[in-house]
Amino acid sequence: MPHPQTSAQQVGLRLRLAAIAAFLILPVAAGGQSERITYPWIYSAEAWSLQTTASHKWLNDGAALVWEESAAGIRDGIRRLDPATGRLTPFLGFRDAVLAIAKEDRKAARGAVFPDAIDPTGRRLLYVLAGDLFLVEAEGPRALRITQTPVEEKSARFSPDGERLAFIRENDLWIYEIATGVERRITQDGSKTLLNGTLSWVYWEEIFGRQDLGYWWSDSSRSIAFLQTDESPVGIVNFLDHRTLYPTLLTQRYPKAGTDNPVVRVGIAHPQTDGTRIVWADFGDHTYEYIARVKWLPGGSKIAVSTLNRQQTRLDLFWVDAASGKAEHILTEENDGWVNIHDDLRFLPDGKGFLWASERTGYNHIYLYDMSGKLIRPVTSGDWSIRDSGAVFWLRQAIKAVDAKGEWVYFNALKKSSIEHQLYRAKLDGTAIEEISKEPGSHSISFRKAGDFYLDEFSNARTPPGLSLHRSDGKKLAEIASPRTQLAKSLDLVYPEFFEIPARDGFKMPAYIYKPKDFDPKKKYPLILYGYGGPSAPSVSNSWQGTDLLSDQILLRNGFLVACVDNRSATAKAKKFENTIVGQMYGDSELNDLVDGVRWLKEQPFVDAERVGIWGWSGGGTLTLLGMTNSQEFKAGIAVAAVTRWEYYDTIWGEAAVKRPQDNPEGYARTDLTAHAKNLHGRLLLVHGTYDDNVHIQNAWSFVDALIQANKRFELMIYPMRKHSIADRPARIHLFETMLDFWKRHL
């Protein structure tokens, strides 16, 4: 889905490794804010260290492994955490792991730094290098190359017992038996258009949140459920690769709004010594468009499967028998707008029932069911929503743990504030709710399986991320990775001020503003407004803002104010606010809130109302063009990777709110920004990557053509063969320096 791309978390491993490399060869900057914070520095290892903290993995024995993907992490390696004592002890050095791989393949070892996976027992690390798989035994360490083929192996994951490894080769699902070194081919019919255990682009992007989760091990490690995808009905998008003497075409299967989707079904594989038996889920007369989720029930005899209809207004949950494939219908969720997919299905022990999240009241809450699908009671209720604080906003998993003995469920929620993610617990009988986390800000919670300890990745707008160990009652036991507050302090940073802006109907929109260190309330400053605006995708958050925070320091230093306002559908406060955009995504609802927000800001005595700019990335680029073609509030704007016509975007995200073009032609016409290009007001910089496989560059070309037809002047910056994130370090530096130059010239 189109989404904001400016946070460090979304730049990805490619940029992280570039930053580490830069750290190893560049001197560390010194001095105050004016000397130190530059765009090259923002994309350096030192700056990266300010916005990251330790990663971790809970093991089957209840301990955790902790490491950091940074230059410092390379030095410290992986450490083992005993939650009972809070002690960290050395476990494995990354350099030792790489040296072990080098004994197997020196060339492959050059690309090895951090492992791609760690097995649940902690005995082995997995590296995927140049399309081949390597295991590193922690004891020793000793490396073993397990594949050496001319084709790519990918999406490898350990079984729960750590004894097997599943992976994808040429769109077939394979299993590797670690003890014997035997490979088993589970599926036999993979092809360019028939995918087994690996996802099509639209499922990878929209349903599984940019994770190739196309198969699921049973708890016993004996069976695997998987998706089989037929992409042959899906249309093809072409990209021109200029990097060869004769430019070549690269292709992508991409279902655009109103066109055919991939056809997906669920298989359950039972590998045996004499072959593999595959059972296909049988839903009887039930028809569906999308497989939304697959999860094994405790005991391994059934899987839970949820399906969506094409309109995404109905989600059905089934238990599917793993032996026969027969599906039993459990419950139905319906919504007049669309049903949000979530991972908040939690089973109680001994078959006593399950917990399920629903937005049926207009707010997201937890409900208790028996195993037949009969509703027992709501567990939480009120004018607030449970909400996760994950890396991407469309992955929803607010439930963090269930204490069946104490009859508590632990979850993240926006109960205290819509801009904070706090940890709470509620009694399963719905009689009590308690706040567990205390510090204002964002708490990303990970419980160990027993539910008695958790790790809290915490930050707020003034505190970089850190990791701490807690008991289930919230008592802090140990600081695992301290926030780098000294580095932040040395930068002399300016932090955002949070407040609310009333919309025309009184709705309170969350907002923030940055003011320069030497702010003079008697002066008038030009203001740059950042926005995203997508449904339940807030930009205003009391959490560490990473590269956004650092980039904004440069704007402040150059005399600009920086602000952001979340329109109501973006706040994630409630489904009922999200549904205000049904039929017109990035239409009248978002526009009215945007105009109300910017007009309120213009009324402030320190804002120069004649010098207000707007910018955004992806959906934020769309919001920028909406504001600049449907109002006269902005003197200048920058739209990066913007959707300009929803017909050009994918089925799942585009049709959720706007439905199919053939069913809602009026909505598509109203939100067609190319039709409004003739009304452009203010100076515009358009930015796009030619290999953007998310928001295709035809969006930019169509808008450019409409501007030319209307004889409208504009600026254009194209990044050859860059994807949606424009993620490599040189391109990022170039982009943000180009943006700064644009603001200086036009504001």
Side-chain angles (χ1 to χ4, degrees):
M1 65 187 56
H3 68 293
Q5 286 289 338
T6 56
S7 73
Q9 204 166 27
Q10 294 162 325
V11 174
L13 180 60
R14 184 178 179 186
L15 186 56
R16 295 205 298 272
L17 296 181
I20 292 168
F23 176 81
L24 297 176
I25 61 175
L26 296 177
V28 175
Q33 179 190 30
S34 60
E35 300 174 44
R36 195 167 190 175
I37 301 180
T38 63
Y39 292 119
W41 182 83
I42 289 172
Y43 295 102
S44 71
E46 186 182 34
W48 175 256
S49 73
L50 188 61
Q51 52 205 299
T52 60
T53 190
S55 301
H56 69 275
K57 180 180 178 64
W58 289 107
L59 301 179
N60 289 349
D61 65 4
L65 297 182
V66 179
W67 69 96
E68 188 173 310
E69 295 189 3
S70 68
I74 295 176
R75 179 193 65 226
D76 296 339
I78 303 174
R79 294 168 292 166
R80 182 182 176 91
L81 170 66
D82 179 356
T85 64
R87 289 185 58 198
L88 285 166
T89 55
F91 179 75
L92 179 64
F94 288 123
R95 287 189 174 91
D96 294 333
V98 172
L99 288 173
I101 294 171
K103 292 179 181 178
E104 289 286 313
D105 188 322
R106 182 173 294 274
K107 184 178 179 181
R110 294 172 188 165
V113 185
F114 308 114
D116 293 279
I118 299 175
D119 91 80
T121 69
R123 290 174 294 172
R124 303 178 180 96
L125 285 67
L126 171 71
Y127 285 83
V128 183
L129 302 170
D132 283 319
L133 307 181
F134 293 79
L135 284 179
V136 175
E137 298 278 354
E139 187 72 27
R142 182 177 66 88
L144 174 66
R145 182 179 195 141
I146 63 174
T147 67
Q148 190 168 9
T149 66
V151 297
E152 178 190 27
E153 284 85 28
K154 65 175 186 176
S155 306
R157 294 198 292 280
F158 288 102
S159 60
D161 63 7
E163 297 297 334
R164 296 164 183 81
L165 194 67
F167 61 89
I168 306 301
R169 176 187 291 155
E170 293 189 304
N171 291 330
D172 272 320
L173 179 61
W174 293 68
I175 289 177
Y176 177 82
E177 301 280 352
I178 296 174
T180 63
V182 173
E183 282 187 352
R184 294 187 187 179
R185 186 175 180 176
I186 303 304
T187 61
Q188 308 290 328
D189 51 0
S191 69
K192 288 184 178 180
T193 57
L194 193 68
L195 318 180
N196 292 299
T198 185
L199 300 177
S200 63
W201 183 89
V202 74
Y203 267 65
W204 172 85
E205 170 72 18
E206 306 295 11
I207 292 183
F208 291 100
R210 300 183 177 172
Q211 304 170 92
D212 193 19
L213 297 178
Y215 65 85
W216 299 265
W217 284 100
S218 65
D219 290 344
S220 68
S221 303
R222 298 298 175 186
S223 300
I224 294 184
F226 67 96
L227 297 184
Q228 184 183 78
T229 301
D230 180 3
E231 283 203 294
S232 61
V234 178
I236 297 174
V237 175
N238 295 295
F239 302 91
L240 187 67
D241 186 351
H242 72 280
R243 294 170 296 185
T244 56
L245 180 61
Y246 292 95
T248 56
L249 286 180
L250 304 176
T251 62
Q252 175 195 21
R253 296 274 179 175
Y254 187 107
K256 292 183 183 283
T259 68
D260 290 338
N261 272 307
V263 178
V264 182
R265 62 175 178 166
V266 181
I268 306 166
H270 304 282
Q272 298 164 351
T273 55
D274 58 349
T276 297
R277 184 170 66 93
I278 296 178
V279 176
W280 298 101
D282 178 7
F283 296 99
D285 295 334
H286 174 75
T287 60
Y288 63 87
E289 186 72 18
Y290 305 109
I291 298 292
R293 284 293 182 268
V294 176
K295 181 175 184 174
W296 284 91
L297 273 68
S301 64
K302 296 179 181 180
I303 58 172
V305 179
S306 55
T307 68
L308 275 173
N309 63 348
R310 178 73 185 243
Q311 294 78 19
Q312 301 175 59
T313 54
R314 173 175 173 145
L315 182 146
D316 289 279
L317 178 66
F318 296 86
W319 303 156
V320 177
D321 185 82
S324 68
K326 188 69 175 176
E328 174 191 2
H329 185 265
I330 300 301
L331 62 80
T332 297
E333 285 287 343
E334 294 183 291
N335 191 278
D336 291 339
W338 69 93
V339 179
N340 285 309
I341 301 168
H342 64 76
D343 289 294
D344 286 317
L345 169 62
R346 286 293 186 108
F347 296 101
L348 302 183
D350 303 323
K352 292 180 179 178
F354 64 92
L355 297 172
W356 177 258
S358 171
E359 296 177 303
R360 65 193 61 172
T361 66
Y363 294 88
N364 198 18
H365 283 293
I366 302 170
Y367 296 82
L368 176 62
Y369 287 82
D370 69 17
M371 290 303 293
S372 70
K374 179 183 177 181
L375 176 63
I376 298 174
R377 70 178 69 90
V379 176
T380 64
S381 61
D383 292 346
W384 52 273
S385 292
I386 65 169
R387 175 76 178 180
D388 191 25
S389 55
V392 292
F393 65 83
W394 61 100
L395 284 183
R396 300 163 185 259
Q397 189 173 8
I399 297 176
K400 300 303 176 183
V402 177
D403 173 9
K405 184 177 180 180
E407 297 189 330
W408 291 103
V409 56
Y410 293 80
F411 56 92
N412 272 110
L414 308 180
K415 190 174 187 296
K416 178 188 289 186
S417 167
S418 69
I419 68 170
E420 294 188 2
H421 292 86
Q422 298 288 348
L423 176 66
Y424 297 84
R425 68 178 182 179
K427 279 290 187 181
L428 293 178
D429 63 7
T431 59
I433 184 169
E434 298 177 1
E435 183 180 352
I436 301 298
S437 56
K438 303 301 181 185
E439 302 93 338
S442 177
H443 298 264
S444 181
I445 304 298
S446 171
F447 274 84
R448 78 169 180 173
K449 188 175 182 179
D452 49 354
F453 296 99
Y454 68 85
L455 287 165
D456 180 1
E457 183 179 328
F458 167 74
S459 76
N460 61 32
R462 293 173 172 266
T463 307
L467 188 71
S468 54
L469 174 69
H470 299 253
R471 278 201 321 234
S472 61
D473 61 3
K475 179 178 174 58
K476 185 175 179 178
L477 301 176
E479 188 102 323
I480 306 304
S482 299
R484 292 180 172 87
T485 51
Q486 288 303 311
L487 175 56
K489 185 177 180 180
S490 73
L491 295 171
D492 195 25
L493 297 170
V494 174
Y495 296 108
E497 301 173 17
F498 294 104
F499 56 100
E500 293 178 327
I501 295 177
R504 63 192 65 182
D505 62 353
F507 181 87
K508 295 180 179 179
M509 298 184 290
Y512 66 70
I513 191 168
Y514 288 90
K515 299 173 183 176
K517 276 278 185 185
D518 58 353
F519 175 72
D520 182 352
K522 296 179 181 179
K523 287 180 59 177
K524 286 189 176 293
Y525 295 84
L527 180 141
I528 298 170
L529 183 70
Y530 169 77
Y532 177 66
S536 289
S539 298
V540 180
S541 172
N542 188 11
S543 60
W544 188 254
Q545 294 302 301
T547 54
D548 290 350
L549 170 67
L550 299 176
S551 296
D552 288 342
Q553 306 301 306
I554 297 176
L555 296 177
L556 294 172
R557 201 167 65 216
N558 281 275
F560 300 102
L561 303 177
V562 179
C564 179
V565 184
D566 276 337
N567 49 284
R568 70 194 65 202
S569 60
T571 61
K573 290 182 177 182
K575 178 62 176 170
K576 66 178 185 178
F577 301 132
E578 192 179 59
N579 278 3
T580 59
I581 68 169
V582 172
Q584 287 190 23
M585 185 156 56
Y586 289 95
D588 293 339
S589 175
E590 296 96 331
L591 177 65
N592 290 339
D593 284 350
L594 174 64
V595 169
D596 290 350
V598 73
R599 286 179 177 172
W600 186 93
L601 289 166
K602 285 182 174 182
E603 290 173 357
Q604 305 314 300
F606 50 83
V607 173
D608 186 340
E610 300 302 316
R611 293 194 293 161
V612 175
I614 182 174
W615 89 279
W617 198 308
S618 197
T622 305
L623 186 71
T624 296
L625 296 180
L626 175 69
M628 295 187 71
T629 58
N630 286 266
S631 80
Q632 297 187 358
E633 301 295 336
F634 303 101
K635 185 180 181 183
I638 301 172
V640 184
V643 177
T644 61
R645 294 185 63 187
W646 285 112
E647 291 95 332
Y648 294 157
Y649 205 65
D650 74 62
T651 49
I652 297 176
W653 183 246
E655 292 178 13
V658 198
K659 309 310 173 186
R660 299 188 309 166
Q662 49 267 54
D663 299 327
N664 182 24
E666 298 84 3
Y668 278 81
R670 172 64 187 92
T671 55
D672 180 358
L673 292 172
T674 65
H676 300 282
K678 61 181 181 292
N679 301 320
L680 177 69
H681 178 82
R683 301 296 301 183
L684 172 65
L685 170 61
L686 284 172
V687 179
H688 222 107
T690 66
Y691 196 19
D692 190 335
D693 60 356
N694 185 331
V695 179
H696 298 139
I697 198 169
Q698 75 180 126
N699 286 273
W701 295 145
S702 296
F703 196 78
V704 164
D705 193 42
L707 291 172
I708 293 170
Q709 294 291 335
N711 197 26
K712 290 285 186 178
R713 299 293 180 267
F714 62 95
E715 297 179 33
L716 179 66
M717 183 57 65
I718 296 298
Y719 287 90
M721 295 309 295
R722 268 64 171 200
K723 290 192 174 184
H724 195 56
S725 301
I726 312 180
D728 61 286
R729 186 171 183 263
R732 279 278 170 141
I733 294 168
H734 183 274
L735 170 58
F736 279 92
E737 290 185 346
T738 298
M739 291 169 60
L740 178 60
D741 173 71
F742 177 85
W743 295 128
K744 286 180 176 180
R745 287 186 288 113
H746 297 299
L747 284 186

